[in-house]
Every structure is written in C-alpha cells, then in structure tokens.
Amino acid sequence: MPDTLKEIISLEDGAPIVIETGKIARQADGAAIVRAKNTILLATVVVSKEIKNEINFLPLTVDYREKYSASGKIPGGFIKREGRPSDEEILTMRLVDRVLRPTFSESFRNEIQIMISLLSYDKTVLPDELAGLAASTALSVAGIPFNGPISEIRIIRVNGKFIINPSLDQLEKADIDLIVGASEHSIIMIEGEMKEITEKEFLQAINIAHNAIKPQIEAQKKLGKKIPKNRFFDFKENNRGNPSLEKEFLEKNFFFFLRKTYGIYKDLLDKKTRSIQEKTILNNFKKKLSIEEREKNEIFIDQYYEEIKKRVVRHMILEEGIRLDGRNNQQIRPIWSIVDYLPGVHGSALFSRGETQSLTTVTLGSSLDVNKIDNVIMENQEKFYLHYNFPPFSTGEIRPIRGVSRREVGHGNLAQRALKNVIPDNNPYTIRVVSDILESNGSSSMATVCAASLALMDAGIAIENPVSGISMGLFTDKEKKVILSDIMGEEDGFGELDLKITGTKNGITACQMDVKKIQGLTNDLLSKILMQALEGRLFILKKMLETLPKYRNKPKPNAPKIYTFNIPKDFIGAVIGPGGKVIQEIQSCTDTSILIEEKGDMGAIEIIGKDYQKMKQAINRIQEITFVPEIGKVYKAKVKSIKDFGAFVEISKGVEGLLHISEIGWKRLNNIEEELHIGEIIEVKFMGMDEKNKKMKLSRKVLLPRPKN
C-alpha cells in the first residue's frame, strides 16, 4: 500500500479536517482527499503540458459532482445514474472557480481541469464548505504555479454567535450565511445572503472567516513540503509568440493604438457605437499588414489591443477622474422603470439603468408549483424561486443557445437570495420570478433584483421593505484608489474588484464579491466600498419607489386566489371521502382545486380558485364536514325531531345532538311541543361531551333568564 501524506487542521469545535494525498488517483497530476467527520471529498487536477497561445484567457475548468452513494441514495427517475449537474453542483463549481482563477498569472495558458467529487456525506458537514480547500490542496501537491494556497469556509451567525462550517440544521436558523474564499493575506471571493444586517456586521463576519481560513492554508503549505520535488512539473510562462516580434510590434504600434482608442473613449460614446469604432481601428490596422503577418500574429494583435483598451480606461479613471460615459466615480447611471408592463401576467416590471435593462415577470401558483429539490444533500421545496436569462442579443452578439449557462444559474441564485428573506411568512403563493435581460452593459444581476422587487409589489406580494442592488468596482495604482459605483462592462473587466451588493433601507440582504488582484484589499478599503455602495443602493431604491411606492393591496384579477387553513388530522379522510368522491364533488361544484397535506397533528388545506364566492362555498363545505363544537360557544340550531325525552337539534350541517327536556327551559315541561317545533331555529350552548356516552351536552336553558321564584 502506498504511503499517505497528511495534515490535520484543528477547528474551534474540536472536529478536525484532514487533508491527505498519495494513496488514490495517482495518475492525476495532483490529487487530494479532504475529510471532515464522515464527509469526504476527492479533488484531482490535470494540467496540459502544451501552451495554448491562441486564447486570451486562463483555460481553467472546475467540475464538482455529488455521488448519490455518498448519502446512501439511488438516483430517482427513469435513468438510475448521475446525469447533468444540478444547480447546486453548478453553484459549487462557480465558488471554487472564482476563488482560484485570480491566483494564476495573467499569462498562464496551460489547460487545467479540476474535478471534485463528494464520496461520503455526513449531515453535520456540508461539502461546499470544503470544495475550495480540496481543489487548492490538489493544485499545491501537483506543483502547479499559482498564488496560493487558498481556501474557502462557510460562516454563519445564529443568535449572535458566529459558527464556522455549520451543519444543515444550523444553517436553517442563521441570519448571516456567507462562503468566503481567501489567500493568506487577502480576501478573494464572497458569496452569501443575510437578513438585513449592517455593513459593520458584514465586515465582522468577513474578518472572522479570514482568520479561520489561515490555518487551512498553513496545513496545505506543510503538506506541500512533504511532496518529493521530482513530482513537480516545470511550467514556462506563456510568451504569446515570438518575443522579438512582440517587442518590435509594441515599439512600432503602441502610440497608434493608444491615440486612436483614447480618442473614441474621450467622445463618451454609447457601448454599441464605441464597440463598432474599436473594431474599425483593429480591422484598419490589420489591413496594413501582409497576409503572412496577419495570419501569424492575429491572435497576438487582438490580445494586445485588449491591453491597450485596459490602459486607456485605467488612465481615464485614475488620472482624469472620467469614466467612459462621463460620470464621476459615485454617479449612478440614469434610471427609469415601468410596472404592469405586461398586462396578461400576474406581475411585471421593466427596469433600465443606463444600458442595462431587465424585464421581469412574477407568476403566482399553488403548492403544486413548488420547486422540488431532491439531491444528495437535501430534499426541499422552494415556494419562492427566480430564473435569470441572458440572451445573446442583450449584448449585440450571435451565440448558439445550448441550455442554461453556469453564469445564468449563478446570477439567478444571487438575485433569489437577495429577495427571498423579504417575502412575508404568511404568503400563501408559490412565486416564480423570471428575469429576461434585454440589454446589458454591466450589473444585470442587480437590475434583476430591482426589477423583481417592483414586479413582486405589482403582483400584490406584501413586501414591506423592497430590495435594490448595485455593483461596485475598484481601480488602484501605487498612489491612488478609486471606488466606482454602478460599474459598466469595461470597468468590471479592467478593474481590481467586482462587488455586487443588495439590501433594503434597513440592511444588506445578499452579496457577491470577486477580487481580480488578490493583494491590497484592506479592511479599511472594503469598509469604504461598502459605505459608498450603501449610498448608491439607497439612491436606486428611491428611484424605484417613485414608480411604485407600495405593493398593491391585492393580486391582479387574473391571478389565482388561494385560501389556506388547517383541520384536525382525523377529518382528512372525511373531506376526501371514499375513493376521493367528496373532495371531487366539492371541486366540481365550486370550480376550485383543493389540496390536502398532513402536517403533524393537522391537515393543511389549500383552496385555489378564480372566484371568491365559489371558493367561499368550498370553504363552507369543508368546514361543515370538519365541524368540531367549542365548549361554551353558542350555536344556532335547527330542531330536527322531537321525542318524549328531548329534541334532536342540528348545530351544523350533519352534526346533531340531543337537547334534553331538562335543558330546554327553566320550567317543567309535560309536552316538549309547548316550547319547540320541528324546523324551528333556536340558540343552544355547547356544554362539552358526556364522559360516559361520549355524546354532546347541549343547553338552551342557560341562555334564558332564570325565573325569580
């Protein structure tokens, strides 16, 4: 058996994390096992030895899969094997990718594939908390050059106490839920949701998380020192072609590109016009080259022109204080919005901020429409969910449509988490929100949050505190640090940071941050970014409320009406009837749909319909079937029959009891018909159940004045 190299990371709660390598997956360039209690992840990394000069990005692929066997399950459905990744798996892939990508050199062009598998699942340790640690450990033992190690942890707060890497049960009680990724010296990535917390509380959570990450990084360093050096590969920096040709090209054409690009950027053009002129500059230059020069250097020229654009944008922001649309660093782009834009849907809003636009719809449904989650980790039902669509025309591009992209899943999840905690607890509806991005030049996920808030209010959902969102950027050099509010596409791509943050007037509800330059983000600088973001999102919220100051007091006429109430569990069978006969007859007569679900000792009834009067009929029918008299309550009763010993009266449809002759009145009766007649409506009081015969005890006498004699 091969030797296993391992390190142990001690946590505050006493449960260690073990990282190890050397025993399995030895054909991979790097492989690591991460174990916390009985949760075990395997991460492998394979890197190509060839450099891909023809691309202008890091060819990194992160894949994360959860084996159903890890929790003792067999996949449901017709095909009994794992298939395409679930949304939850895709979100974990993104978490790992986003924290690793900035740690590689900009010129690194070797293809890398990282695969992470959940092999065993302990319900007290969530795997996404360990995925970043597993991937970084695999990279470290492979000897691949990157500015790591890094790690990720989840931090939550329950009743004012912060917990690192909590269980699923603890997570459900949290008011802060963040995944934080960091290197030893800097925060790199943040993702999470909160229940209207302050910026100070947010920073406190980040600092605690970073301190918890540092021991995990130290353990990876120790493990790396144990690896034989002959296992490491010698990676060369990508020189993007012939160095002498590159130097000659730069000297000859730098000022041509710089002057032309600076000229069009200073004209403060819209995105579409600016893009056309950029392509014109590039194409005109290429036409000057011979066919041989063009074919040999086309990729390099394109890459170099991106560098020129980056230099110009950074110069304008850092040296001149001017952005591509003429704004200063704190200004928000022009905002306008419309609600009830689509009259046929249950709620809609069109929100535009600059050249970014979201058309968002809300559809209201019943409990039959919940989003069912059934994966390795959990079985759950979401009554509120949001889908985000980013079609190619939104950026003026032609692109094949091949299903939902990872980006669409990630942006939709961020917007959903931003809004879900402001949906009222007594909301009876299942709510589906769909955001279609019609135009995009930065911050489309934040436009989705704003549009969704307005659409929900338009649909009559009682949101007391609407949510707005803003995307922040950061540009730095040795002397200056410029924080940008409401960033555009180029500012996102050429800056050091992209911070998306959402919140109500009371506090933060969600956040997503990606740092592209992994050193230099101090606690003080992050605090300044957050405070500028607060000012911006409150301004955006004010603009939103000018369109719709408050939620509508009721749903649209075309929206379904839902009424929910509980009945004793013992009556579920009576409401359904033999073979469903009773409930089917009620639905048919009232044009409603009726759902019954057993919850503890009660039966939860949900009635869905379009006509309130018919729904009321269905409610009355069920209440008649499930009628249980209350002790001390007075009921109007109909005399059904008269006997020598009393009268049988009906206090609810189908519910009869004996009104004994002694309880009819205070005077002695020889003949009951002296007081009562069949069909007469009288009032009786329910006195309880007779302990001997389990029959109802009713009294009319107690409601009558007692004679003085």
Side-chain angles (χ1 to χ4, degrees), residues 19 26 108 122 146 225 252 340 371 396 494 553 583 676:
I19 57 174
R26 291 179 298 160
F108 194 91
D122 180 334
F146 75 118
K225 291 177 181 178
K252 184 177 180 181
D340 199 20
N371 185 31
F494 299 150
N553 57 14
I583 195 169
L676 302 178

Side-chain angles (χ1 to χ4, degrees), residues 546-656:
E546 289 175 3
T547 299
L548 186 62
K550 188 175 175 61
Y551 59 85
R552 302 194 189 281
N553 57 14
K554 62 181 180 180
K556 303 283 182 68
N558 61 339
K561 282 72 178 174
I562 295 181
Y563 186 84
T564 59
F565 60 101
N566 294 325
I567 63 171
K569 186 171 74 172
D570 295 342
F571 283 100
I572 291 177
V575 174
I576 295 173
K581 181 178 179 181
V582 174
I583 195 169
Q584 289 174 12
E585 189 267 334
I586 296 173
Q587 290 179 126
S588 177
C589 293
T590 60
D591 292 329
T592 59
S593 295
I594 302 173
L595 307 176
I596 304 179
E597 182 182 0
E598 186 177 318
K599 292 184 177 179
D601 294 331
M602 304 299 291
I605 302 286
E606 183 176 307
I607 299 177
I608 308 102
K610 293 288 183 76
D611 188 314
Y612 278 119
Q613 294 304 317
K614 290 185 177 181
M615 289 176 67
K616 184 64 177 175
Q617 293 174 19
I619 294 166
N620 291 339
R621 291 283 300 276
I622 293 174
Q623 289 177 339
E624 289 170 355
I625 296 171
T626 61
F627 176 78
V628 176
E630 298 178 28
I631 295 176
K633 188 170 182 178
V634 177
Y635 295 94
K636 290 189 179 297
K638 184 177 183 179
V639 179
K640 300 292 287 187
S641 63
I642 295 176
K643 306 294 181 183
D644 293 340
F645 49 82
F648 284 95
V649 297
E650 184 181 60
I651 63 172
S652 182
K653 188 171 182 179
V655 181
E656 294 184 12

Side-chain angles (χ1 to χ4, degrees), residues 174-175 193-196 384 416-425 509:
D175 64 348
E193 64 183 79
M194 295 132 277
K195 294 182 179 178
E196 298 181 277
F384 173 77
Q416 177 175 322
R417 299 180 81 180
L419 293 159
K420 74 175 191 180
N421 289 316
V422 300
I423 303 296
D425 293 335
T509 61

Side-chain angles (χ1 to χ4, degrees), residues 419-702:
L419 293 159
K420 74 175 191 180
N421 289 316
V422 300
I423 303 296
D425 293 335
N426 61 354
N427 162 61
Y429 292 103
T430 292
I431 304 172
R432 182 188 183 224
V433 180
V434 178
S435 170
D436 290 298
I437 302 303
L438 305 184
E439 189 177 352
S440 179
N441 187 14
S443 307
S444 62
S445 61
M446 297 298 93
T448 292
V449 171
C450 299
S453 284
L454 290 171
L456 286 163
M457 293 194 293
D458 182 51
I461 303 301
I463 295 178
E464 296 293 344
N465 294 309
V467 181
S468 64
I470 190 170
S471 189
M472 306 294 292
L474 176 67
F475 282 70
T476 65
D477 60 16
K478 292 181 180 180
E479 298 178 356
K480 292 185 178 179
K481 293 178 175 61
V482 179
I483 301 167
L484 300 183
S485 297
D486 183 25
I487 58 175
M488 301 186 296
E490 289 92 344
E491 294 168 340
D492 181 3
F494 299 150
E496 274 86 47
L497 171 145
D498 174 20
L499 169 67
K500 300 179 179 72
I501 191 161
T502 70
T504 68
K505 63 182 181 182
N506 299 323
I508 302 168
T509 61
C511 173
Q512 183 183 95
M513 186 181 83
D514 293 295
V515 176
K516 290 134 189 203
K517 185 179 179 181
I518 68 168
Q519 292 186 0
L521 183 62
T522 62
N523 196 61
D524 181 59
L525 181 56
L526 182 55
S527 177
K528 290 179 180 178
I529 295 170
L530 290 172
M531 296 315 296
Q532 187 169 317
L534 171 61
E535 182 180 339
R537 62 181 175 80
L538 290 179
F539 173 82
I540 294 166
L541 181 60
K542 181 181 177 182
K543 288 289 185 180
M544 290 164 53
L545 296 181
E546 289 175 3
T547 299
L548 186 62
K550 188 175 175 61
Y551 59 85
R552 302 194 189 281
N553 57 14
K554 62 181 180 180
K556 303 283 182 68
N558 61 339
K561 282 72 178 174
I562 295 181
Y563 186 84
T564 59
F565 60 101
N566 294 325
I567 63 171
K569 186 171 74 172
D570 295 342
F571 283 100
I572 291 177
V575 174
I576 295 173
K581 181 178 179 181
V582 174
I583 195 169
Q584 289 174 12
E585 189 267 334
I586 296 173
Q587 290 179 126
S588 177
C589 293
T590 60
D591 292 329
T592 59
S593 295
I594 302 173
L595 307 176
I596 304 179
E597 182 182 0
E598 186 177 318
K599 292 184 177 179
D601 294 331
M602 304 299 291
I605 302 286
E606 183 176 307
I607 299 177
I608 308 102
K610 293 288 183 76
D611 188 314
Y612 278 119
Q613 294 304 317
K614 290 185 177 181
M615 289 176 67
K616 184 64 177 175
Q617 293 174 19
I619 294 166
N620 291 339
R621 291 283 300 276
I622 293 174
Q623 289 177 339
E624 289 170 355
I625 296 171
T626 61
F627 176 78
V628 176
E630 298 178 28
I631 295 176
K633 188 170 182 178
V634 177
Y635 295 94
K636 290 189 179 297
K638 184 177 183 179
V639 179
K640 300 292 287 187
S641 63
I642 295 176
K643 306 294 181 183
D644 293 340
F645 49 82
F648 284 95
V649 297
E650 184 181 60
I651 63 172
S652 182
K653 188 171 182 179
V655 181
E656 294 184 12
L658 174 65
L659 179 62
H660 193 268
I661 189 172
S662 63
E663 294 295 331
I664 293 176
W666 290 103
K667 68 178 183 179
R668 183 182 179 86
L669 296 176
N670 294 319
N671 185 353
I672 293 175
E673 291 182 335
E674 295 175 13
E675 284 284 326
L676 302 178
H677 304 281
I678 293 175
E680 184 179 354
I681 305 297
I682 62 173
E683 287 189 340
V684 297
K685 187 174 185 178
F686 176 61
M687 308 300 291
M689 302 296 290
D690 191 297
E691 293 183 1
K692 293 181 180 179
N693 58 25
K694 305 300 180 184
K695 302 291 185 181
M696 288 191 297
K697 294 191 295 183
L698 301 172
S699 176
R700 176 174 175 264
K701 180 171 68 175
V702 296

